[in-house]
Every structure is written in structure tokens, then in C-alpha cells.
Amino acid sequence: MPRHQQSMPPPRRRQQPQPLPQLLLLAVAAAALLLPGPSAHAVSIVVPIQPPRLPSVPRVRLRSPPGSPASPVPSTVDISVEPVELRLSLGAAAGAGTNISLSFTTPRYRSSGGGPPNQLQPPALVLDAVCDSFGVRLTNNLPFQGVSTCPFYPGQNENAPLFENGPHDLEWTNLHTHGLKVDPGAVSLINICQPGQPTAGFPAGSNTDLTAYYCSGNTSSAQLCQVFGDNVLAGGRPLVSAPVTPYAKPGVAPGGATLSYTYPLGAVVPGMGWYHPHTHGSVGIQTPTAAGPLLVPESWLPGGLSRLYEPSDPASAGECSRLLSVLSSQPLETSTILQINALWFRKRADGSFDDDSIPFLGAAPGGTKVSPLLYDVLPDGTAVPKFSNPAGRDWALVNGAFQPTISLVERIYSRWEILSTITMKWLDLTIQQVLPSGALQPADCSLWLLGRDGVPLPRVPRRLQSVPDASTGAQFSDLILGPANRADVLVKCNTPGTYVLASGAGPFHTNYTVCKATHCELFGDVPPAASGLPRSANNLYGGLELSAAVLAVVQVNSRGANPRAQPDFTDGVCRSRLELFPYLDYLRFPTPAVQQCFSFMNQQGGGFCSINSQLFPTATAYVEQGTQQVWQLRDITFHPFHLHETPVRLVSLPTCATSVTNNWAEGDWMDSINLPVCQNGCNWLDAGSGGGLCGSPVEICDEVTVQWLASMFNMPSMRGASDLCGGRGAAAALTPATCQQRYSVFHCHILPHEDEGCIWPVKWFCPGDTSVPQPSEAQCPSAYPPCPAAAGGAAVVPDKTVRRRRLGRRL
């Protein structure tokens, strides 16, 4: 996370860094370093438009054979982050002859074993290495960003803050995983490479001056950092030189930095996670196109599915057996993956970018603090865009394609693993029939939910049904996904035909009265005419402009004589044996629970979101290892909550989330929580909870209570009532012998909000640590801070538009 600072007056220091070795400081030129545009040399990908088949997601299996001892050398995959030029053009599919196209250069993940070079979709990592360790070697082959100056490296002295909020250092990168119960790795907030060894990993004889390493394009990026666990506080420097590239510099060694991650795994429940970049300042610009699935397979379990599920009661034994037969025929690790990405280039009618498109492009599109992939910075400090989006629309892709076709067989279940990497909007997915007029009507299809965010439901399946209007009683089978959510679902359609997987045609929509930003919109909704905003490119289908976004075509084929039709399941025929996994065995969590409260709030005077009125890193959440944590979370209608390294159990939910849909239920486990249906149940002012006005009380409407286990990271395999790793014949995963402190984070998963500072460090401290302040439990504020005093002593009361003022623009 720590990166170089911009040439501006540094903010007041908030936190002392740990001492760093005294290094020779080199003078760094303040002039901007201009690099040739990479788009002419990047791999060019023409995104398929309405291909007849869903592009498959390549798999890379990281193996640890059952019965083998834990290996000191983990099974490892090599992944690079590299620039790629994406080109999309709807052509005749747009209708009316409008120029609906997009071209831009963007980061993507590439693996030597992960599919052809001319596709965007990265591989799914299948973790057969449960009860052992696996590795990811991540090499940064993005261009060095030499368009901003760097007078100090982070923590150099009192004038150099540890962290900078806002989009910056847009080509630095690292890795974060969702869906694993895993060691956070970091033991301090300063993790330049290895804790306490800021120059570790540099090649012998190289220049290890940190100022030059952070700031100079004439210093080699070649570095190998050994990183333990899910450490998002280390970072990889971009490429400055390589053979036959526009970045080559005489006398500078080639190569981008490599972060070599080792992840020790205990017994992890089967499910789908994902991996994406997480360097503070560049998360929002890289993740929309650099992200991939991560699968914990069902096949690793000793005894397979019969070990994970059992009949809910004797009467359901037959139906539970039938469900397991359906699941075993389509194992999680080989079932259909739908990865949904969205590209934020939306413009207003006057040609200016919509507010939440800005972080995807850089901090200030007209100046120097922009992505070198998207802009050329001229000597006068202005930036010339290198991308084209004539219609100003947003786009969504499925497995790297636009509106691909998914094939089903009538009355036969198909298992889908759906991953939303959309960083702004939420989805309400239904299967619809498009009528010749362009109107949409629900198809005779249903969705059964098996699990969320990589954890099976306590009882499976759950037929998804929403009844938003009690007066009509109309039911919809829909799936709501917020940013970072995943869903394991069974899909069944009863009538052959051509349908569409749509967002925006279902029962829920944006409440534009209270939603004043892109990130609380439903993808595919039709913005009010007064907003001057276009619909997404996905609203175009069959030469028509629809009232919803088409993500994919669903082709339902006739069964013929065989196989036999599969009857509908009733809810909850099987019970998930989650107690086999100690971090999910909530009835055995240590007591008493530690109570804490966190409220997402609108930061006055800059930034769109803060936590308990504080921006990163001015506050810390303290978690004692080995304790049960019970957290109250507020205002997650607009700001999805995500805690690293662990799922959380929903203990209580607001009525607005459960009265109209069964998409969520108490007892479910999630790692990213967003409740967009509560837009319609809270009497907030335009700016969210409390109105965002200084001194105003904080409204409580969508409070959620969650519980989770703060693991002891020196407990091998987290052994519990059932030793699954022992049953597999595996030794314990490699862990420290004694307790060591760890640092992770939680944040709003509107990723530009994370970049802007809506994130808190979490210090996992050891029992008996006397340095932890007392009391250490966070409390939600009852009101916003008082208004600052103006000249003459009068209080300055901001108007409601302060929430969307940023970088000199009124948005």
C-alpha cells in the first residue's frame, strides 16, 4: 500500500512509521518523465460480440495430492499483470447506425497455463492444495508511471506520510484473495517488501535506494519479494525496461517486480472466491479488468459431498440424495463460471465524465495524475486521452465477451458459479423473454441458491423468490449481487426458447430520489431523463434499446426423449455441515463476544465515504486473536462492507432486506455485504446516513449484526471437532510457532471509495499485548463532527452537494 507522494504540500503526519535503515538519498528530478504510449505495443484483443457460445474460463489446478505431507515448496502459478488493448464494437447489433464502440488500454492478468493470449479472461485457480500451501508469483509488467514526482519515499521522515488517499500510483500492484480463511501475513503497516527488511528481494549489486526505487524511471524494477499470506501491504513496482518494448532505457536492467505469495491453508469450505489487485490508490482502476475466480473444490473433502451435506431430517433423505446427485454430476470446480466485469466510461450529455467514471480513469483526467495506459501527458502538464468511447456508455462483459450465449436443456438443472467483479453498481438478475416490441417478460425459469461468497447456505437449496409488491403478490425468481459477491446457483428453465440473463428487468430498481451516485445504481436501469446519462451498452439487444441490460443470451434446448425432466426442489432438503470447519462453527466460538460498531459515513470536505468519520489510516480496528467478534454495521445500503481474510455470519438483518426477498437470511455467511433493497426503506437525506452534514445526527436504518472468529494464526490447521485435514492424510499447514501480530483491513467495496480512504487497518493483536489502547472496541458516532469555524467564529454549514464535490468539480 505505501507509495510515493505527489509534489504538493504533504498532509500532517498522523502516525509514526517504524524505523527504516539509513540509506543514501538520491536527488529525484521533479520534471515529469514521459514514456511512449503502450497501446501501440500492447496485445490487442477484439472482444467477441454476441458469440454463439459462452467463452470457457481456463483452470489452473494447484495440487497437493491427498495423503501427501505438507510441502516446503508450494504448488505455484505464475501470473503477470500486463497492458492489453481492448476493442469493442457493436456494429449492426446496436441498431440505428449509432457508433457504439469502445477502445482503451487496460491491465489484465495473464498466466502461461491460463488460456490463449487474445482473451481477457484470466484463469480460475483451483485449490487442490487445501491442508497445505499454494503459491502465486505475481509479476508487474505494467509501465512505470513517471508522470508524477516523488520527493520522499513513504516513512522517510516527518514530512512523508505513510499513506496517501485518492487515486495515485496507478500501475503499482499486488494481490488480494476473497473466499479463504487465511493468514493476513503483514506484521506492520510498512511492508515495502518484507517486514523490517525494506530492501529485501533486490538483486545483488542493484541500487537499493528507496527514493530512487519509488520515484525514478532510471532504476531497475527487478525485485523478488517473498510475501506470506494475504498481504495487501506489500506492493510490486511497475516495469521500466524490457527487451523490445517502448520502455527500454540504456543501462537499466529489465523486469518488473515480482511478489511471490505463499498461502498456508487449513480446512477451507468448498466454494468460489476470487483474486484481484489491492494496492491502495490503484484498486479502482485495475480491478475492473484484472480479476479472476478462485475455487476451493468439493473434491478435496475426505468423503466428498456426503461429508459436507446431510438430510435436514429423515423425511428429506430422498430429496437430499437427489440434490447431491445433481451436484456431484456438476462439481463446483467444473461447473459453469460466469464472471461479470463492468467498464466505467459513462459520460453525461455535455460530454463530461460521470462522477464515478473518474476514478477508473485517474484522479484528474486533464492533468498529470492519470494512468499512462489511458493518457499521454504532454510537456505542458496536460493529458491527452488515448481511449475512445463515442456513445459514452458503460459496458459489461461475461467471461470477456459481450452478451455471449449460455446453453441449457429444458427442465434440467445447470449449476452456475456467478462472480460479480463490478466495482460500482449492483445487479438484480432474472431470466427474461424479449418480445418483438422490446418489452420484457419473465421466462419460466427459476434460480436455487446453494451458497454465497464461497460458503454454502446452512440449508440448501433456497429457491430465490422476491415479492416486492404485496398488493399484487407477483413473485420473481431473481438473484441480487453487490460488488464482490459470488453465488453458487442451480438454474432451470421449463420451456425451450431464446431468453436473456438481464439486470434491471426484475423486481428491484434504483431509487433515484435517494441515490445520487453511480455506485448505488442498479446496472441496466434507465436513468431519469433530467440526468443526461445514457443507458449502458448492454441495454442494446436485437436492434432495440431495452429497459434492462442484457448480460448474456440463454438458449434453452429441447430435451428430446432423454434425459428425464428433473422436478423442482423444495427449500432446505439438505443441511450443510459447516461445523466441520472451525471458523464457521459459531456455536463453539469463544465467549464472551467482543462487541464493536462501524458506520460508513460521508466524509465532509473530500472523499465520498469514511468509517466512523475517519479516513485511512487515522484509525485502527483492534481484534484480539482467538476471540469471537460481533460487529454492528451501518449504512451498507450505499457502501458494501468487506472484511479481509474471513467470512462473517449474518446474525441480524434489517426488515428492509428481508420483507420483500429471501436473497439474504439470518445465518447466511458472506464476506461482502450490500443491501440495495434498503434504498426503499430508509428516510435518508440525499447524502446518506445523517445527511453528511456536520453536526447532524446519524440515522440508523440498515444496521446489520455479524459475528466471526478472529483466528489464532499460530494454531496449525485450526483443528476443531472434525479433523478434515487429518482425514485427508495431510500434515498441518505451515504457521508460526508463536503468536505474532497481523495487519489486515476492512473497507467499502466500492473500490474507488477504498482508494479515497474509506478503509481501516485491522490489527490482530496477541493476548497480553499492552500496547493496545483501552478500551479498544470501536463505537459508532451518534453525530457527524461539528462544523469548522470560519473567520469571525461563525460555523460553516455545507450544503447537501458537498458529498459530490471533488477535485474542483461540482458533480
Side-chain angles (χ1 to χ4, degrees):
M1 277 186 171
R3 286 292 170 259
H4 69 253
Q5 310 303 311
Q6 307 301 317
S7 55
M8 60 181 68
R12 186 178 62 180
R13 185 161 189 76
R14 301 295 185 117
Q15 183 173 344
Q16 290 285 344
Q18 296 184 4
L20 296 178
Q22 295 297 318
L23 300 174
L24 175 65
L25 301 180
L26 299 182
V28 179
L33 174 66
L34 299 181
L35 294 174
S39 59
H41 300 268
V43 173
S44 183
I45 294 177
V46 177
V47 173
I49 304 297
Q50 296 180 341
R53 289 180 296 276
L54 176 73
S56 62
V57 177
R59 267 76 162 174
V60 173
R61 301 188 78 104
L62 298 172
R63 298 188 178 277
S64 175
S68 64
S71 171
V73 181
S75 179
T76 300
V77 61
D78 287 286
I79 294 176
S80 66
V81 184
E82 63 182 26
V84 62
E85 182 186 49
L86 293 185
R87 292 187 286 131
L88 301 84
S89 180
L90 290 187
T98 307
N99 183 7
I100 307 295
S101 63
L102 173 66
S103 62
F104 69 109
T105 305
T106 186
R108 70 130 175 209
Y109 283 143
R110 174 83 180 124
S111 170
S112 58
N118 61 341
Q119 69 176 24
L120 176 64
Q121 178 64 47
L125 306 183
V126 183
L127 303 183
D128 287 324
V130 175
C131 299
D132 199 344
S133 297
F134 74 97
V136 177
R137 282 189 293 262
L138 179 72
T139 299
N140 190 353
N141 287 326
L142 297 175
F144 182 77
Q145 185 177 17
V147 295
S148 49
T149 58
C150 177
F152 304 110
Y153 64 80
Q156 175 186 330
N157 58 32
E158 287 299 306
N159 294 319
L162 284 178
F163 300 95
E164 177 187 356
N165 290 326
H168 63 284
D169 296 321
L170 302 175
E171 315 311 323
W172 289 71
T173 199
N174 62 12
L175 196 68
H176 168 51
T177 62
H178 287 238
L180 302 180
K181 182 68 171 180
V182 66
D183 194 318
V187 299
S188 77
L189 288 178
I190 302 178
N191 277 252
I192 295 171
C193 182
Q194 292 177 335
Q197 300 181 61
T199 62
F202 287 97
S206 66
N207 183 345
T208 57
D209 175 79
L210 292 185
T211 301
Y213 185 71
Y214 273 89
C215 312
S216 173
N218 292 313
T219 297
S220 173
S221 293
Q223 181 188 22
L224 175 64
C225 288
Q226 300 292 338
V227 184
F228 182 75
D230 190 45
N231 186 339
V232 297
L233 294 160
R237 187 178 191 262
L239 180 78
V240 295
S241 179
V244 199
T245 74
Y247 321 121
K249 293 181 179 297
V252 179
T258 296
L259 303 179
S260 184
Y261 287 87
T262 298
Y263 298 89
L265 288 182
V268 182
V269 68
M272 182 168 72
W274 62 301
Y275 58 99
H276 68 87
H278 212 290
T279 299
H280 187 58
S282 66
V283 185
I285 196 170
Q286 292 184 21
T287 301
T289 54
L294 182 151
L295 300 172
V296 177
E298 293 163 341
S299 58
W300 86 263
L301 285 170
L305 285 178
S306 62
R307 193 68 184 275
L308 182 59
Y309 299 108
E310 66 182 11
S312 294
D313 54 62
S316 64
E319 281 294 271
C320 181
S321 177
R322 185 167 71 90
L323 175 62
L324 297 191
S325 176
V326 170
L327 299 185
S328 62
S329 68
Q330 302 178 71
L332 183 149
E333 53 267 34
T334 60
S335 56
T336 299
I337 295 176
L338 305 180
Q339 179 176 321
I340 305 172
N341 300 59
L343 313 176
W344 304 120
F345 281 92
R346 191 168 73 168
K347 293 182 180 179
R348 298 180 179 273
D350 62 3
S352 63
F353 283 103
D354 186 30
D355 50 5
D356 282 331
S357 294
I358 300 300
F360 184 65
L361 303 175
T368 60
K369 206 172 179 183
V370 294
S371 168
L373 300 180
L374 297 173
Y375 290 89
D376 283 322
V377 179
L378 303 180
D380 64 1
T382 60
V384 178
K386 295 186 288 189
F387 54 87
S388 174
N389 184 34
R393 296 175 181 241
D394 290 332
W395 301 68
L397 307 179
V398 178
N399 295 2
F402 184 84
Q403 295 177 346
T405 293
I406 308 169
S407 294
L408 305 180
V409 176
E410 61 159 327
R411 299 183 183 273
I412 299 296
Y413 288 104
S414 181
R415 190 177 187 182
W416 293 357
E417 306 299 323
I418 306 176
L419 161 62
S420 176
T421 69
I422 292 179
T423 57
M424 295 287 187
K425 304 181 185 181
W426 52 283
L427 298 168
D428 183 24
L429 299 178
T430 57
I431 298 177
Q432 301 281 329
Q433 183 177 10
V434 182
L435 302 179
S437 64
L440 294 157
Q441 69 178 23
D444 186 11
C445 302
S446 295
L447 305 172
W448 282 262
L449 185 63
L450 301 171
R452 271 190 176 272
D453 290 1
V455 181
L457 299 181
R459 294 180 185 271
V460 294
R462 180 190 301 161
R463 186 171 186 165
L464 290 173
Q465 297 184 78
S466 296
V467 186
D469 188 347
S471 64
T472 66
Q475 294 186 354
F476 299 81
S477 192
D478 66 316
L479 172 64
I480 300 173
L481 296 176
N485 282 151
R486 293 90 66 202
D488 181 5
V489 297
L490 292 176
V491 184
K492 184 158 73 80
C493 295
N494 294 326
T495 306
T498 301
Y499 309 102
V500 296
L501 178 66
S503 177
F508 300 107
H509 294 277
T510 310
N511 183 343
Y512 284 101
T513 301
V514 297
C515 174
K516 302 296 181 182
T518 302
H519 65 264
C520 54
E521 283 185 41
L522 167 66
F523 187 79
D525 252 355
V526 179
S531 69
L533 294 170
R535 305 181 193 190
S536 75
N538 296 73
N539 287 63
L540 295 166
Y541 177 77
L544 300 170
E545 180 96 13
L546 306 184
S547 59
V550 174
L551 299 175
V553 178
V554 179
Q555 182 64 49
V556 181
N557 301 312
S558 174
R559 282 183 299 113
N562 289 300
R564 292 183 177 181
Q566 296 176 326
D568 290 351
F569 285 109
T570 56
D571 283 2
V573 296
C574 293
R575 187 186 78 85
S576 303
R577 302 181 66 196
L578 300 182
E579 70 277 5
L580 298 179
F581 305 88
Y583 67 99
L584 304 176
D585 189 9
Y586 67 96
L587 293 177
R588 298 192 184 197
F589 284 178
T591 57
V594 179
Q595 306 276 342
Q596 305 204 54
C597 185
F598 299 96
S599 178
F600 288 112
M601 305 166 70
N602 293 313
Q603 180 69 14
Q604 300 170 90
F608 301 164
C609 167
S610 66
I611 301 170
N612 290 1
S613 278
Q614 297 192 73
L615 292 174
F616 183 78
T618 59
T620 299
Y622 294 94
V623 169
E624 181 179 344
Q625 295 183 43
T627 61
Q628 175 186 176
Q629 296 285 313
V630 174
W631 288 9
Q632 279 73 45
L633 309 172
R634 297 176 181 171
D635 206 355
I636 54 175
T637 290
F638 294 154
H639 301 291
F641 164 88
H642 172 53
L643 174 64
H644 282 208
E645 279 80 60
T646 187
V648 299
R649 181 176 179 269
L650 302 179
V651 175
S652 68
L653 285 162
T655 302
C656 56
T658 57
S659 60
V660 292
T661 183
N662 66 352
N663 263 262
W664 306 275
E666 293 177 0
D668 292 356
W669 291 82
M670 303 179 71
D671 65 30
S672 301
I673 307 172
N674 186 209
L675 303 177
V677 293
C678 291
Q679 288 186 64
N680 301 303
C682 296
N683 297 317
W684 287 317
L685 299 175
D686 289 351
S689 64
L693 304 178
C694 51
S696 64
V698 174
E699 301 289 339
I700 302 175
C701 176
D702 63 350
E703 183 174 88
V704 175
T705 303
V706 301
Q707 66 179 147
W708 57 281
L709 177 66
S711 303
M712 293 287 293
F713 293 112
N714 66 319
M715 293 174 62
S717 298
M718 297 170 51
R719 300 190 184 279
S722 178
D723 185 1
L724 292 174
C725 288
R728 182 184 170 127
L734 299 175
T735 60
T738 58
C739 182
Q740 296 180 7
Q741 74 176 19
R742 292 288 189 266
Y743 277 91
S744 67
V745 297
F746 76 92
H747 58 88
C748 170
H749 216 285
I750 301 298
L751 293 182
H753 290 191
E754 187 276 335
D755 284 333
E756 290 161 355
C758 196
I759 172 175
W760 271 28
V762 179
K763 180 177 179 178
W764 304 61
F765 65 91
C766 296
D769 187 341
T770 58
S771 68
V772 175
Q774 297 298 325
S776 60
E777 297 81 15
Q779 301 297 319
C780 290
S782 60
Y784 278 77
C787 297
V796 177
V797 181
D799 62 38
K800 293 180 182 180
T801 61
V802 69
R803 177 172 178 258
R804 310 307 296 166
R805 293 184 188 274
R806 184 74 171 163
L807 302 171
R809 305 182 307 276
R810 177 168 176 169
L811 302 173

